[in-house]
Amino acid sequence: MYNWEKSFQKWQSFQELDHSLRQKLTTMQDDPTALEDAFYKELTFGTGGMRGVLGPGTNRMNIYTVRKAVNGLANYLLENTVNVKDRGVVVAYDSRYMSQEFAVETAKVLGAYGIKTHVFESLRPTPLLSFAVRYFGTVAGVMITASHNPPEYNGFKVYNEDGGQITPSQAAQIIEEIQKTEDELSVPFMEKEEVEKEELLDWIGKEVDNAYLEQLKLISKLSMEEQEKEKDLGIVFTPLHGAANDLVVNGLDQLHFNQLHVVEKQAVPDPEFSTVDSPNPEEHQAFTMAIEHGKEVDADILLGTDPDGDRLGVAAKNSAGEYQVLTGNQLGALLLDYLLSHSNQAVLKSGRMLKTVVTSELGRAIADAYQVKTINTLTGFKYIGEKIHEFDATGETFIFGYEESYGYLISSICRDKDAVQAAVMASEMAHYWKQQGKTLLEALEGLYEQHGYFLEGMSSLTLKGKAGTEKIASIMEAFRSEPLESIATYQVEKVEDYLTGERKILGELEEKTETIELPKENMLKFILPNDSWVTLRPSGTEPKIKCYYGVCTDSKEESKRKLAVLKETMDQKIAAILN
């Protein structure tokens, strides 16, 4: 049993404890609940890395928990990859508190093992880190970010030598090495000046940015002549105080989108994200300032990226002239249709579209229309990146990958979702539809009329701390031990349990069981008639349990009604379990 009081005493008596962490620890001494939460466990290193609240303690993000993670990573790399010391590791970071400090700490620990670290001299978005791994040929990459979590969070995200997020098997081996480090306070490291002197710390300037922008231009579906023309498209862009500003602006500029307006107050990197309640383009309040600016300049579309620049939100004008934020599923469907309709048919024969199991089935319907095969992956872009890597060997062609949570990838120059690619392609797509006399919303309506009114929703319940973790586990256990046979008036046709890897086919006759050919994950999916479904899963990065819904009917009104019924029913069932 992990003894949090013993762990707290160890930290308190450590003479060389970082001064700012000691001050915070002192203020917590009379709050046993806060102390227990900070020390009751070690910060979890999950399938991609770790993310947590900043502060002192083994269950917090700080220089000591980061050093411990890097120590484990270093030992894993030395054991499992070749030419580690020369190839090195590349590190990027976003605008959060302690981001640059954690990047330097990573170099200091790797330096103690003689491993060279390339660190960007200023903040950069996550997709550029993925690109940089491939550009430099490093054995790994590290991104210091907590994505769109609240300001008090930061994180440590690990990438493999392919530029993708580490796979579950790689994560398991890294976790094993991390756990061998018993004392996070005594991890070996070099001082920053020493690492620089030994040339084990290489500061990166604009070299990688320029190489990325060259590749970004090649992604365009416009002819060379069209690329050079000035575009009649008004764009408002907000990076939401994050790291994507320069690359998005330069990416649009090189295709001559000259009517670009940046929300200047939100272009300033700010770890407090002081102009928004949450720096998450999935939440429509994040577009408040962009909408105001859009009305002032009569923009056609609004673009918003999250702090680490891997998620993109887009808003377009509706028939009333108001800006409407597209869902991740809607933007993904539009991008997919645009890309497929502007691709060489010969390429599409081996083409593959990748999406997650909680992403809209509209994408599959569109891909089917172009005779492109759809492959489902588990939730999380690491699985999409892993599939792209497999295509390198199989000869299959990656066409597009996306997930409902505003993550898209157009070109495999990166192996993680890329809001910069998506922002430039969304602008190009909006320009195309404007030339056809349509807005993005009118183009979307055309997809619904052709394929059916696919609508999706997601609800989440935040349950923080140790008690919250236990409640989330109890909810999943309740649905797993007594699987639903119906949701409202809709019969459940199949139950997919991704933890056991089993799909149960329900019906009047004998129940059948199939194997789900995907890695194990704590997730349940209930499949209903007519392309409708409900999925329940705990978040891998936040203290939340999420419920996803998808429906398809012949009308928008009926799809909205059905979606509302599913959501209300599931909310009631979850509330009943908690009560």
Side-chain angles (χ1 to χ4, degrees), residues 158-174:
V158 181
Y159 287 74
N160 58 30
E161 60 187 338
D162 189 51
Q165 295 179 42
I166 50 172
T167 64
S169 61
Q170 290 168 336
Q173 293 177 75
I174 294 170

Side-chain angles (χ1 to χ4, degrees), residues 182-200:
E182 294 184 1
D183 184 9
E184 65 280 349
L185 301 177
S186 59
V187 170
F189 66 93
M190 295 171 69
E191 293 297 341
K192 175 174 172 281
E193 295 75 16
E194 191 181 356
V195 183
E196 290 176 324
K197 182 182 176 183
E198 296 293 328
E199 297 185 345
L200 292 169

Side-chain angles (χ1 to χ4, degrees), residues 206-501:
K206 294 288 186 181
E207 174 189 353
V208 180
D209 305 52
N210 295 335
Y212 173 88
L213 287 166
E214 285 180 21
Q215 292 296 316
L216 184 64
K217 196 171 185 180
L218 298 176
I219 294 170
S220 174
K221 296 298 182 181
L222 300 172
S223 67
M224 293 299 292
E225 184 182 358
E226 289 173 315
Q227 287 184 20
E228 295 304 314
K229 291 179 181 176
E230 292 187 351
K231 311 295 186 293
D232 178 28
L233 185 77
I235 306 168
V236 166
F237 167 56
T238 172
L240 296 177
H241 302 292
N245 186 61
D246 289 354
L247 284 180
V248 171
V249 169
N250 290 327
L252 289 168
D253 181 64
Q254 67 183 5
L255 290 180
H256 296 276
F257 283 97
N258 63 326
Q259 296 180 36
L260 173 64
H261 307 270
V262 177
V263 181
E264 295 298 339
K265 286 185 179 177
Q266 294 179 329
V268 180
D270 175 10
E272 280 295 323
F273 311 111
S274 52
T275 65
V276 288
D277 292 333
S278 169
N280 184 357
E282 291 181 74
E283 298 177 19
H284 295 182
Q285 56 78 27
F287 276 91
T288 302
M289 293 184 79
I291 289 171
E292 290 172 2
H293 202 45
K295 289 177 179 176
E296 289 173 8
V297 300
D298 193 29
D300 295 293
I301 62 168
L302 316 176
L303 308 173
T305 53
D306 69 343
D308 69 318
D310 62 356
R311 284 181 168 85
L312 173 76
V314 172
K317 282 184 179 177
N318 60 22
S319 57
E322 297 295 321
Y323 291 105
Q324 181 178 324
V325 181
L326 295 163
T327 68
N329 284 310
Q330 291 170 338
L331 180 57
L334 283 164
L335 285 168
L336 174 63
D337 181 70
Y338 175 76
L339 290 166
L340 295 180
S341 65
H342 288 78
S343 294
N344 187 316
Q345 293 303 304
V347 174
L348 297 185
K349 288 181 180 178
S350 63
R352 301 290 182 263
M353 190 276 283
L354 300 169
K355 72 176 192 65
T356 71
V357 291
V358 296
T359 299
S360 173
E361 287 300 304
L362 176 56
R364 185 188 299 276
I366 293 167
D368 286 349
Y370 290 93
Q371 297 182 310
V372 168
K373 182 180 178 181
T374 296
I375 297 175
N376 264 352
T377 73
L378 288 180
T379 307
F381 228 88
K382 57 180 162 287
Y383 298 109
I384 291 176
E386 193 176 7
K387 274 291 173 189
I388 297 170
H389 180 62
E390 289 177 18
F391 295 165
D392 292 341
T394 63
E396 295 165 279
T397 304
F398 170 70
I399 297 290
F400 182 62
Y402 77 114
E403 58 185 1
E404 44 68 46
S405 55
Y406 288 52
Y408 319 94
L409 184 63
I410 292 132
S411 168
S412 59
I413 59 169
C414 301
R415 298 296 166 95
D416 200 0
K417 52 189 176 286
D418 186 342
V420 181
Q421 286 188 33
V424 173
M425 190 56 71
S427 301
E428 182 178 311
M429 174 177 68
H431 168 68
Y432 166 80
W433 282 115
K434 187 176 182 180
Q435 288 182 313
Q436 313 305 310
K438 292 184 178 182
T439 66
L440 288 181
L441 291 170
E442 288 168 337
L444 179 65
E445 188 65 24
L447 292 179
Y448 287 143
E449 289 171 2
Q450 182 180 354
H451 302 289
Y453 282 87
F454 288 83
L455 288 185
E456 298 78 31
M458 191 273 285
S459 55
S460 66
L461 181 63
T462 300
L463 296 163
K464 293 183 178 180
K466 184 181 178 182
T469 301
E470 291 168 354
K471 287 177 182 177
I472 289 170
S474 70
I475 292 168
M476 292 302 295
E477 177 55 32
F479 279 102
R480 188 166 272 123
S481 59
E482 295 185 34
L484 301 175
E485 295 181 358
S486 65
I487 302 176
T489 58
Y490 307 104
Q491 286 299 117
V492 175
E493 293 183 341
K494 300 175 186 175
V495 179
E496 295 181 340
D497 188 338
Y498 290 81
L499 195 60
T500 62

